[in-house]
Amino acid sequence: MAKLLITNIGLLATPAGREAKAGAAQGDILKLENAWILAEDGVILEVGTGEPPMTEPGNGFEILDAGGRLVTPGLVDAHTHLVFGGFRQHELADKLRGKTYLEILAAGGGILSTLKATRAASEAQLTAKALAALREMLSFGVTLCEAKSGYGLSLEEELKQLRVVRNLQGTQPAELVSTFLGAHAFPPEYKEDHEGYVRLICEEMIPAVAAAGLAEYCDVFCETGVFTMEESRRILECGLAHGLKAKIHADEIDALGGAQLAGELGAVSAEHLIAVTEKGIESMAKGGTIACLLPATSFYLGADYAPARKFIEAGVPVALATDYNPGSCPSLNLQLVMNLACLKDRMTPEEVLTAVTLNGAAAVGRAATHGSLEAGKRADLVIWNAADLDFICYRFGSNLVRTVVKGGVPV
Ligand code: IZC
Ligand code: ZN
């Protein structure tokens, strides 16, 4: 397979290690000037500085000159609702008139509007649409992303969405990690029978998803008017019993206690966390749960920003993701998330880099192989139109990616 030598890296910036970084370590970024990276068969062989090895022509290595630019690991988007039919631009007017996200959902819009469009779309149509989104993500520097179901909300329709994720794996450069989110909303058929839907999830959907190997994670939207704490616990425990690791949309709008539950269950990550309490943060620290913050959603909803500094002080690793979805974050731009994390979550550029690389990889169970530039890891990286890390957290609204390398291949 291809051998690649990337030379003339002005600044190589990367976290190091094979697990999520918390506290002060979240800001520990290795910075190498005048660096090079040698990769073979998609894996990094060596990272060094100064004179690169084997630069003579004919040695079998493709040479990529980074032109003195910044190089970081490929970005990881650890929370996306990638697969859905339609969009929801028709809700913008209501939103501008002051209707909240939960009011739109309670009136049968929101997730339920996307439910109709997703059920109406074929697997091939959904695959083509998600593929276009993945291409855009890749253009922003994302080489690994999580993708949730949750717009089918019946056994067959959830399986259809998860098959779309599987269809996309290996057929285009970005890598995907699949999450079952049957507990995203109550479908119209179960509007008056929440118990019936929770049983359908636990007795039919989770066993079928697990048996088909269609997801690694089980997630729940634990929120007022959606899934209660009690229902969330039952569903996540059932997922765990079937080998699906836990994630939870927790304490986004109301502090129901999702963060406590996440810590108690040893969930891999809890998401949003805008309204998290001290107790929730403590529980997550104890349980080793990663805080996956989604500041572009705060931006779009006009909501507060999650207390990133509190998580860092409490020793909870912070990851950052887009939350790409048609309702609360119709954007695929993880670079914008990095800007917002600095400006609104008060994270340093170094902490932000760890959050969108190594900690994001840990949030999708890939920290051993992805998320940093070091020997033995995947050769997934970004060459930036930038000289340093501050620059990419400071400029916003432009795509600053020059070249994305995925598995040792420029894409
Ligand atoms: O489609 O509204 N927050 N789920 C929870 C979403 C946003 C996705 C949506
Ligand atoms: Zn979400």
Side-chain angles (χ1 to χ4, degrees):
M1 234 185 93
K3 300 173 180 181
L4 181 71
L5 175 63
I6 304 176
T7 61
N8 199 15
I9 299 171
L11 178 68
L12 185 151
T14 181
R18 288 172 158 75
E19 52 191 40
K21 292 295 163 99
Q26 169 130 20
D28 278 348
I29 292 294
L30 180 69
K31 292 181 180 175
L32 301 175
E33 289 176 17
N34 189 20
W36 48 263
I37 297 172
L38 193 60
E40 186 171 7
D41 293 339
V43 175
I44 297 173
L45 289 180
E46 203 180 340
V47 174
T49 57
E51 201 51 40
M54 301 180 287
T55 43
E56 315 79 41
N59 60 17
F61 280 79
E62 182 186 342
I63 294 177
L64 182 60
D65 186 333
R69 294 179 177 83
L70 171 71
V71 169
T72 70
L75 306 183
V76 181
D77 194 341
H79 181 139
T80 86
H81 301 253
L82 180 75
V83 183
F84 55 85
F87 275 97
R88 305 220 290 267
Q89 69 273 32
H90 56 274
E91 289 174 358
L92 181 61
D94 272 347
K95 176 177 150 63
L96 295 178
R97 279 194 288 270
K99 270 212 183 152
T100 67
Y101 177 86
L102 290 180
E103 284 166 355
I104 293 172
L105 176 60
I111 294 170
L112 298 176
S113 150
T114 302
L115 173 75
K116 284 193 200 110
T118 307
R119 285 182 176 179
S122 69
E123 192 173 318
Q125 285 168 329
L126 292 173
T127 303
K129 181 159 183 263
L131 174 63
L134 272 180
R135 292 225 163 97
E136 186 180 333
M137 263 182 169
L138 196 69
S139 78
F140 285 122
V142 173
T143 50
L144 169 64
C145 80
E146 187 248 19
K148 301 178 194 295
S149 68
Y151 296 114
L153 308 187
S154 71
L155 175 61
E156 270 320 305
E157 291 293 327
E158 284 293 302
L159 292 175
K160 179 177 86 178
Q161 258 197 285
L162 292 170
R163 281 196 305 269
V164 169
V165 179
R166 193 182 57 192
N167 294 342
L168 291 165
Q169 192 77 268
T171 53
Q172 49 72 48
E175 278 177 82
L176 298 109
V177 174
S178 179
T179 296
F180 168 65
L181 180 58
H184 194 193
F186 289 93
E189 311 84 89
Y190 287 90
K191 192 166 185 241
E192 307 301 335
D193 182 15
H194 287 193
E195 173 60 22
Y197 188 59
V198 172
R199 285 178 58 178
L200 179 71
I201 291 178
C202 291
E203 291 168 15
E204 293 186 34
M205 291 186 181
I206 287 176
V209 166
L214 278 169
E216 287 182 45
Y217 291 87
C218 179
D219 192 349
V220 175
F221 187 15
C222 178
E223 187 57 73
T224 303
V226 198
F227 289 83
T228 65
M229 282 281 285
E230 148 73 6
E231 291 162 344
S232 301
R233 179 191 291 277
R234 273 171 69 192
I235 292 163
L236 292 177
E237 282 180 345
C238 175
L240 286 168
H242 284 83
L244 302 180
K245 289 168 277 181
K247 286 181 175 285
I248 177 168
H249 285 65
D251 302 333
E252 177 188 359
I253 299 166
D254 293 323
L256 297 191
Q260 274 113 297
L261 181 60
E264 249 177 70
L265 296 178
V268 175
S269 65
E271 331 278 310
H272 289 290
L273 302 164
I274 293 167
V276 73
T277 62
E278 298 293 337
K279 263 196 181 158
I281 296 176
E282 249 172 58
S283 171
M284 285 173 62
K286 256 197 221 140
T289 300
I290 296 168
C292 186
L293 307 184
L294 310 167
T297 302
S298 292
F299 170 76
Y300 189 74
L301 293 179
D304 289 338
Y305 289 80
R309 294 247 61 86
K310 285 194 182 170
F311 286 112
I312 292 171
E313 278 157 26
V316 174
V318 174
L320 289 159
T322 58
D323 191 22
Y324 175 61
N325 75 77
S328 60
C329 188
S331 173
L332 289 156
N333 189 343
L334 194 55
Q335 292 176 44
L336 177 63
V337 169
M338 295 168 74
N339 301 129
L340 292 170
C342 268
L343 296 172
K344 300 293 189 180
D345 287 321
R346 316 308 291 179
M347 291 171 70
T348 67
E350 286 76 12
E351 290 166 345
V352 167
L353 182 66
T354 300
V356 292
T357 56
L358 187 58
N359 284 5
V364 296
R366 298 290 189 276
T369 46
H370 296 67
S372 64
L373 297 175
E374 54 194 300
K377 287 232 184 169
R378 299 290 301 162
D380 294 355
L381 55 96
V382 177
I383 302 175
W384 297 89
N385 281 317
D388 59 37
L389 211 47
D390 286 353
F391 194 79
I392 57 175
C393 287
Y394 139 89
R395 290 268 281 111
F396 74 96
S398 300
N399 184 356
L400 298 175
V401 165
R402 178 177 176 88
T403 307
V404 176
V405 173
K406 180 72 190 90
V409 180
V411 293

